[in-house]
């Protein structure tokens, strides 16, 4: 979910399991390596794995490494970590350009993938057996110029609204399928003395959900928006369906529906508030629910998840992130190390790899490999998200359909949410931001 060039940059994968929402940078120390032994193909081979440095990613990485080494005697995997945000992005790009990248690394797919020049820097993986058994949305977001470069890691998740189930039951509220219903719920919640909508601008990336999570509603009204937007023809400020996301930020602020500390509250504050019922709703990425056990022990099952409502109940569906990250192998990985790296990426797409991964980060959406199944005891958020996928009501976020994501969206959303700019002004600012990035990418139609 930073500013995830940034696509929705999330507090890496812990907040989301991802979440990660985004990354790079590396501490040289090994956090989770173990020694391999035995013989056979790859005997004595050691590879390095660069992971996000949040707790969930590290725990999941260690679990996958341990399971992989057990299944592949003779191959040792040493983990290194990197921070998130722009610092991480810059480190990834620097290490790729200098030929100093780890043998396998985790990085964003979608719009940010193109920024690291995959044709130049990465090893294509479309010839791998597992490539035919991955989620089609994930595959599309990890493919450039017809070549698949990313292997699945973790789960998909949605962008919508976390809500407190006991509060909804107490006030006899129904999950809203239109924006008008959502605002009526907010009025009833406020009347009951509960914060209707939690916002956490203290962690700036979290400000973007009303815009980025609303993309399904944009596409439902303007089916070719992504194509026209990429071509420089469709704009946020002049497309009512796209402008609506900024308008929604302004409307909840003007109506007095936000928590008093919205300007300084953090992601963990927001998660705790919605889990305990201090706030009834929190626009957020579903993957963030993986942190409920740490911020509000025992309260995770009190939280459900619904898609951001739009103008039409009949077309209500969820904007989804088919994995914000993927596993990549740089072209500098060669010989025995390349063979071992491919085995490691392949293992992550197996049932054994997925089962190991969730030991570190509870799944909050469907797996990206068809070889994997969610355990029975997943959270309500995961169940709600899976239901949208199962019913075919899932649309990829714009960053997975277009290479353009303006780097200053989170700050622009905060300007609206704090009353410094109107929705219309913010949309125009974002159009200007997007134009600069499109020109940097050399896209046609943006001169």
């Amino acid at each position: 979910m930073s500013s995830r060039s940034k696509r929705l940059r999330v507090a890496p994968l812990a907040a989301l399991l991802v979440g990660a929402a985004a990354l790079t940078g590396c501490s040289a120390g090994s956090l989770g390596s173990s020694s391999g032994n035995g013989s056979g193909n790859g005997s004595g081979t050691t590879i390095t794995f660069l992971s996000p440095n949040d707790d969930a990613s590290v725990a999941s990485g260690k679990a996958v490494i341990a399971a992989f080494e057990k299944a592949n005697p003779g191959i040792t995997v040493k983990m290194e970590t990197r921070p998130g945000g722009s610092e991480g992005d810059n480190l990834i790009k620097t290490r790729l350009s200098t030929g100093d990248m780890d043998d396998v690394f985790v990085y964003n797919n979608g719009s940010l993938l193109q920024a690291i020049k995959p044709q130049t820097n990465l090893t294509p993986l479309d010839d791998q057996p597992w490539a035919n058994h991955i989620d089609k949305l994930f595959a599309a977001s990890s493919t450039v110029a017809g070549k698949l470069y990313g292997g699945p890691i973790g789960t998909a998740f949605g962008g919508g609204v976390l809500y407190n189930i006991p509060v909804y039951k107490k006030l006899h509220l129904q999950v809203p399928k239109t924006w008008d219903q959502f605002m009526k719920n907010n009025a009833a919640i406020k009347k009951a003395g509960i914060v209707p909508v939690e916002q956490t601008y203290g962690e700036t990336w979290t400000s973007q959900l009303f815009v980025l999570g609303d993309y399904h509603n944009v596409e439902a009204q303007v089916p070719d928006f992504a194509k026209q937007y990429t071509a420089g023809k469709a704009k946020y400020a002049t497309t009512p369906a796209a402008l609506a996301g900024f308008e929604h930020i302004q409307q909840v602020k003007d109506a007095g529906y936000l928590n008093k500390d919205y300007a300084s509250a953090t992601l963990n504050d927001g998660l705790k508030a919605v889990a305990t019922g201090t706030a009834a709703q929190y626009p957020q990425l579903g993957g963030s629910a993986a942190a409920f056990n740490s911020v509000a022990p025992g309260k995770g099952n009190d939280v459900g998840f619904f898609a951001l409502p739009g103008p039409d109940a009949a077309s209500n569906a969820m904007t989804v992130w088919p994995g914000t990250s993927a596993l990549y192998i740089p072209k500098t990985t060669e010989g025995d190390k390349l063979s071992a790296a491919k085995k490691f990426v392949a293992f992550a797409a197996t049932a054994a790899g997925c089962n190991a991964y969730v030991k570190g980060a509870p799944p909050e959406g469907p797996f990206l490999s068809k070889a994997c199944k969610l355990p029975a005891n997943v959270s309500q958020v995961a169940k709600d998200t899976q239901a949208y996928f199962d019913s075919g009501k899932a649309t990829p976020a714009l960053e997975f359909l277009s290479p353009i994501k303006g780097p200053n969206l989170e700050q622009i959303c905060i300007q609206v949410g704090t009353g410094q700019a109107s929705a219309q002004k913010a949309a125009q600012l974002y159009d200007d931001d997007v134009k600069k990035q499109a020109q940097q990418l050399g896209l046609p139609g943006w001169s």
Side-chain angles (χ1 to χ4, degrees):
M1 301 211 21
S2 142
S3 322
R4 273 168 188 291
S5 31
K6 282 168 186 180
R7 50 189 280 190
L8 177 51
R9 187 164 328 257
V10 255
L13 239 103
L16 320 165
L17 232 69
V18 326
L23 356 128
T24 334
C26 162
S27 65
S30 171
L31 293 181
S33 63
S34 58
S35 298
N37 49 47
S39 60
N41 292 335
S43 177
T45 301
T46 296
I47 60 173
T48 58
F49 170 57
L50 184 61
S51 166
N53 65 358
D54 61 278
D55 292 345
S57 295
V58 171
S60 293
K62 286 183 176 181
V64 173
I65 287 171
F68 172 76
E69 290 182 336
K70 184 177 181 180
N72 293 271
I75 300 179
T76 297
V77 182
K78 291 186 176 181
M79 178 189 285
E80 295 181 338
T81 63
R82 51 171 170 62
S86 58
E87 178 185 358
D89 279 340
N90 291 335
L91 185 141
I92 285 281
K93 293 172 184 175
T94 298
R95 294 187 67 180
L96 284 171
S97 66
T98 59
D100 190 34
M101 178 52 74
D102 289 78
D103 297 307
V104 182
F105 67 100
V106 178
Y107 189 65
N108 300 78
N109 54 6
S111 61
L112 282 188
L113 172 57
Q114 297 198 37
I116 61 173
K117 302 177 180 178
Q119 297 102 312
T120 300
N121 294 318
L122 304 181
T123 299
L125 300 172
D126 44 292
D127 62 344
Q128 298 299 293
W130 53 262
N132 295 320
H133 304 288
I134 57 177
D135 178 82
K136 64 180 181 179
L137 298 182
F138 171 82
S141 66
S142 303
T143 297
V144 176
K147 291 290 185 180
L148 176 70
Y149 290 97
I153 183 75
T155 66
F157 52 88
V161 181
L162 298 169
Y163 73 101
N164 185 274
I165 296 172
V167 167
Y168 259 59
K169 288 183 177 179
K170 179 181 178 181
L171 300 180
H172 305 290
L173 301 177
Q174 299 295 317
V175 168
K177 292 188 176 181
T178 69
W179 184 256
D180 287 345
Q181 292 170 359
F182 180 67
M183 292 298 280
K184 288 180 180 178
N185 282 359
N186 289 336
I189 293 164
K190 183 176 181 180
K191 185 176 181 180
I194 300 169
V195 172
V197 179
E198 182 79 9
Q199 289 286 41
T200 53
Y201 296 161
E203 275 185 65
T204 56
W205 70 264
T206 68
S207 69
Q208 304 171 85
L209 263 297
F210 273 129
V211 174
L212 298 184
D214 197 48
Y215 181 70
H216 164 77
N217 296 317
V218 178
E219 187 170 295
Q221 299 170 77
V222 188
D224 65 345
F225 181 82
K227 179 180 179 180
Q228 298 301 320
Y229 168 79
T230 303
K233 297 178 180 179
K235 309 293 184 182
Y236 272 81
T238 56
T239 306
L243 175 62
F246 291 102
E247 292 176 333
H248 293 164
I249 298 174
Q250 182 174 342
Q251 288 169 16
V252 295
K253 169 64 168 62
D254 290 349
Y257 290 153
L258 303 183
N259 47 304
K260 292 181 179 179
D261 62 344
Y262 66 89
S264 60
T266 65
L267 172 68
N268 283 348
D269 294 330
L271 294 174
K272 183 176 181 179
V274 73
T276 59
T278 301
Q281 302 160 126
Y282 182 24
Q284 190 46 256
L285 293 171
S288 294
F292 278 135
N293 287 340
S294 60
V295 301
K299 294 292 186 177
N301 286 330
D302 284 346
V303 181
F305 195 48
F306 60 81
L308 275 170
D312 178 31
S315 64
N316 182 247
M318 181 170 283
T319 301
V320 299
W321 276 253
T324 57
S325 300
L327 293 174
Y328 300 102
I329 300 174
K331 284 189 176 178
T332 48
T333 301
E334 300 176 329
D336 289 345
K337 288 182 179 293
L338 176 59
S339 177
K342 287 183 175 180
K343 287 182 179 180
F344 182 71
V345 174
F347 181 80
T350 66
C354 292
N355 291 340
Y357 183 88
V358 299
K359 292 180 180 179
E364 301 301 340
F367 281 110
L368 305 169
S369 170
K370 296 177 182 179
C372 306
K373 296 185 181 299
L374 287 175
N377 59 339
V378 295
S379 70
Q380 187 60 46
V381 171
K383 293 175 183 177
D384 290 344
T385 304
Q386 182 73 62
Y388 284 99
F389 276 84
D390 290 345
S391 61
K393 295 181 177 181
T395 299
L398 180 58
E399 66 194 67
F400 297 98
L401 303 173
S402 171
I404 310 170
K405 168 76 164 63
N408 296 310
L409 178 59
E410 59 197 55
Q411 289 82 9
I412 294 170
C413 289
I414 288 174
Q415 288 184 49
V416 183
T418 55
Q420 300 176 63
S422 68
Q424 185 67 52
K425 175 63 175 177
Q428 184 59 60
L429 288 173
Y430 188 52
D431 285 337
D432 294 341
D433 191 40
V434 163
K435 181 177 181 179
K436 293 177 183 178
Q437 198 212 29
Q439 290 176 335
Q440 290 175 354
L441 292 173
L443 298 179
W446 290 90
S447 57

